[in-house]
Amino acid sequence: MSKTFTLDGKTIPFKDGQTIIQAALDAGYYIPHLCHHPEFKPHGSCKLCTVVVSGHQTASCTLQPAEGMVVESETEQLNAERRALTQMLFVEGNHFCPSCEKSGDCQLQATAYHLGMMTTHYDHFFPNRPLDASHDDYLLDLNRCILCSLCVRASRDVDGKNVFALAGRGAQTHLIVNARSGRLADTDFSATDKAAHVCPVGVILPKKRGFAVPIGERTFDKQPIDAYVDSRLARKES
Amino acid sequence: MTTSLETAEHPEKLRRVAIDPVSRVEGHGKVTILLDADNKVHQVRLHIVEFRGFEKFIQGRPYWEVPVMVQRLCGICPVSHHLAAAKAFDQVLGIEHLTPTAEKIRRLMHYGQIMQSHALHFFHLSSPDLLFGFDSDVAKRNIVGVAEKYPEIARQGVLLRKFGQEVIRITAGKRIHGTGAIPGGVNKVITLAERDELLQNIYQMIDWSRTAVHLAQQLHEANPALYDSFGLFRSSIMSLVGNDGEMDLYHGKLRARDEDGRLIFDGVDYQDYQKMIAEGVKSWTYMKFPFIRSLGEKRGWYKVGPLARVQNCDSIPTPFAEAERRVFIDYAGGVPFHGPLAYHWTRMIEMLHAVEVIKDLLHDDAILDGERMAHGERRREGVGVIEAPRGTLFHHYQVGEDDLVTMCNLIVSTTSNNQPMNEAVRQVARRYLHGQEVTPDLLNHIEVAIRAFDPCLSCATHALGKMPLEVTLLDAGGCEVSRLTKSAAGKFCA
Ligand code: SF4
Ligand code: FES
């Protein structure tokens, strides 16, 4: 007999060591998330996966369930908070969906649709973040970074390269490239790296290929993000 | 309000009339009419919103993003910018010939845009003026009024436009902000079901387009005294023409003629457009003034768009439109016709041509399947030119080794038509300005003259209402003598 907990009234089985979100996704149940990726250790930074356990809010990507635990996720209140967090992510960076090549394949955009976000609500920061086009095959458009650290984790834990890091604190946090010049071309980053394929938004992009997939055939044209319950499917391995 | 009027010999003796569109949200313009000491119209200036900001904005962006991003430039003909940019980056990728499938899908998209834009302009924006008269009751002079009095014409207009929009949607992926054209080709073909859907109605569209040409023709024939001379001025013309001199709105070589129809240049590869065209700058606006180098800055301005194209080409390669071109040329007596109201007639001939081209393309299986992308040797620079609904559109880019755009230069159709519009308004003002009062009659006629060119100003493409205008008459010292405003709803107030 495997252990179970309940999520919005549904019984979810789990194995030891699994987090709430892993068990839920394995069981075919979607909890909104951006910095969670099933192949990597939790980071717990975006807080979109927040659920309520025994009256307390907690990140479902970091908490392991216990037998008989009662978890709430699809509540009006939680979704309102998730929507506000998503709006903040939009205004903190420079996200212009109509001319972004990641449009239709972007998890931030798809999550915003899922949460029924109609406007950005807050004032835009309009940060000044330069592009790094130094690498022959890959472009970094930091305007769209949501600081999920997936590239950091992928480069460190899978590629063994440490190409990316998060620097600064709080509102000053930003993604850096580990090279004295700060340029991607001066690292050993390569197109076959895991880190080249994990960015949930449009920062780490293969060059010369933008818009090759027509509208209608992109990841989230086919079905909304919550239909890709196994989040591995939601990531377009480009 | 004392901008130096550098082309006037004695500006101190001139009086200014400023006509300001009230809506300044998007594209906006401003007309200044200069009177001389005898209260005669001396000069006219139409100030158009300029695009310089965008050219800066695109610098530093990756080149493959630009054809999608440039659609933000103008909500009025985004597809034309999309395609002109894609054509420029084909050159950057060293591609001289697209695959047949890519070329045909792009042409389909482009002629869909011509069709929807021309239908919108003729039926929604201009037919109220043309059918009811320029100074008829403003409350009725709109598409709703047309729908009441001429329901069949209004219905055909709406459906023609819708058909064009549908062609854009299936080729670009969306009606607006599509992504169909990418540097080197296209990202999609169309399905059999989409094609069959369009084929069902295409012959109806051709019929209605012929009717529209005849309607425009009848307007001229019914009142030649007005139609042939309203806003009349003479000028050179320029457009792309196909390899055999035929009309080709998607691709070709540059040809220009003088006001008598004599060739100024012909067969010019547009990669070398800067050898033929220069852009003048003026102290009073950021907008540039393109002119034909060999004629010089003063005399080198030219008109673009339907009236230029229909007379610049040697033929139109589709039968119904070619027959209508001949009727038009005969009406003009075999010499260049310069009356701006003939923009409407020639615009409808082009719409008919666009629909015929769409029909032929729909019968071509290359749009259903085939190689989408071509490849070539990378270059640093590329120019893309297309005949947009309003005229010749230039996109010129340089791209760094890191794939980011380092330079962008655009010449949009309305910029080329700036001086022609000034001239047309000057002629109209000469005829309809009496005394020192800005009258509704003057305002209405200026609006009709500007409208004929189909400028891409948001005030000029206001969906339902009239062009919002403010006319202020100032004396030489800048003091207001008279003022009249017309709202988008057509209401006048002093
Ligand atoms: S670049 Fe992408 S993957 Fe890396 S931290 Fe930013 S958003 Fe996350
Ligand atoms: S997915 Fe849990 S905090 Fe981001």
Side-chain angles (χ1 to χ4, degrees), chain B residues 278-299:
Chain B
E279 294 171 86
V281 285
K282 312 254 172 180
S283 59
W284 46 272
T285 174
Y286 288 113
M287 202 177 72
K288 294 191 289 185
F289 287 76
F291 61 91
I292 295 167
R293 277 187 194 278
S294 63
L295 299 184
E297 189 158 357
K298 249 201 154 117
R299 290 178 48 242

Side-chain angles (χ1 to χ4, degrees), chain B residues 306-319:
Chain B
L307 184 57
R309 293 187 293 230
V310 166
Q311 302 189 90
N312 206 15
C313 68
D314 304 326
S315 64
I316 297 182
T318 55

Side-chain angles (χ1 to χ4, degrees), chain B residues 115-314:
Chain B
M115 181 180 175
Q116 85 85 16
S117 176
H118 281 5
L120 172 75
H121 184 264
F122 185 73
F123 292 99
H124 294 68
L125 302 177
S126 299
S127 76
D129 288 332
L130 303 176
L131 294 172
F132 295 132
F134 305 162
D135 25 44
S136 59
D137 179 5
V138 266
K140 295 251 171 61
R141 196 163 19 108
N142 53 45
I143 187 71
V144 179
V146 175
E148 269 168 25
K149 184 114 191 276
Y150 307 95
E152 189 50 27
I153 292 178
R155 191 177 78 89
Q156 292 176 10
V158 168
L159 292 176
L160 279 161
R161 176 169 187 228
K162 224 173 139 198
F163 190 94
Q165 288 174 319
E166 195 53 17
V167 172
I168 294 170
R169 191 187 65 76
I170 62 164
T171 49
K174 269 164 101 182
R175 267 190 190 181
I176 46 164
H177 280 305
T179 64
I182 51 180
V186 294
N187 67 14
K188 71 191 296 291
V189 291
I190 76 170
T191 66
L192 203 58
E194 287 166 337
R195 171 172 90 172
D196 290 349
E197 172 97 30
L198 290 177
L199 273 178
Q200 283 207 337
N201 295 314
I202 189 72
Y203 292 95
Q204 180 69 72
M205 297 298 141
I206 291 177
D207 257 19
W208 288 347
S209 300
R210 293 178 72 193
T211 308
V213 179
H214 298 150
L215 179 61
Q217 177 187 345
Q218 282 155 20
L219 291 166
H220 278 262
E221 287 170 348
N223 195 351
L226 174 67
Y227 271 78
D228 295 359
S229 67
F230 183 84
L232 178 66
F233 65 93
R234 296 169 64 80
S235 77
S236 307
I237 58 175
M238 190 187 73
S239 72
L240 290 178
V241 293
N243 281 336
D244 300 318
E246 79 282 13
M247 175 174 278
D248 189 335
L249 302 179
Y250 175 77
H251 191 66
K253 298 260 165 73
L254 289 168
R255 172 188 280 181
R257 294 181 190 273
D258 68 14
E259 59 182 63
D260 297 316
R262 286 183 298 253
L263 287 173
I264 302 170
F265 56 75
D266 193 14
V268 173
D269 180 347
Y270 58 65
Q271 299 304 316
D272 298 327
Y273 77 102
Q274 286 178 325
K275 288 188 188 143
M276 298 298 159
I277 309 277
E279 294 171 86
V281 285
K282 312 254 172 180
S283 59
W284 46 272
T285 174
Y286 288 113
M287 202 177 72
K288 294 191 289 185
F289 287 76
F291 61 91
I292 295 167
R293 277 187 194 278
S294 63
L295 299 184
E297 189 158 357
K298 249 201 154 117
R299 290 178 48 242
W301 55 277
Y302 53 89
K303 47 178 184 267
V304 296
L307 184 57
R309 293 187 293 230
V310 166
Q311 302 189 90
N312 206 15
C313 68
D314 304 326

Side-chain angles (χ1 to χ4, degrees), chain B residues 338-397:
Chain B
H338 293 289
L341 287 179
Y343 263 103
H344 297 292
W345 186 352
T346 48
R347 191 172 287 120
M348 288 302 94
I349 294 174
E350 285 190 347
M351 182 174 78
L352 172 59
H353 172 56
V355 182
E356 288 186 281
V357 172
I358 292 169
K359 184 219 26 157
D360 290 343
L361 286 167
L362 288 175
H363 284 100
D364 190 327
D365 286 347
I367 62 169
L368 301 175
D369 195 18
E371 197 56 56
R372 300 174 197 186
M373 296 293 289
H375 303 279
E377 191 126 326
R378 178 64 188 278
R379 301 173 192 153
R380 295 295 290 270
E381 188 160 6
V383 179
V385 178
I386 197 162
E387 285 297 330
R390 293 160 182 80
T392 320
L393 171 65
F394 295 79
H395 277 225
H396 180 188
Y397 302 94

Side-chain angles (χ1 to χ4, degrees), chain A residues 96 98-101 131 133-136 139 141 143-144 205-215 217-218, chain B residues 60-65 68-69 72 172-174 177-179 182-183 186-188 372 378 401-404:
Chain A
F96 192 78
S99 61
C100 176
E101 62 187 274
L131 270 62
S134 60
H135 196 277
D136 281 349
L139 171 75
D141 188 345
N143 287 294
R144 303 163 185 151
L205 297 162
K207 279 187 168 181
K208 307 179 175 70
R209 264 201 260 150
F211 303 102
V213 179
I215 295 166
E217 292 174 27
R218 303 168 306 183
Chain B
R61 298 303 310 173
Y63 73 78
W64 56 87
E65 188 181 75
V68 173
M69 187 171 267
R72 291 168 69 185
K174 269 164 101 182
H177 280 305
T179 64
I182 51 180
V186 294
N187 67 14
K188 71 191 296 291
R372 300 174 197 186
R378 178 64 188 278
E401 255 167 54
D402 61 1
D403 300 314
L404 302 185

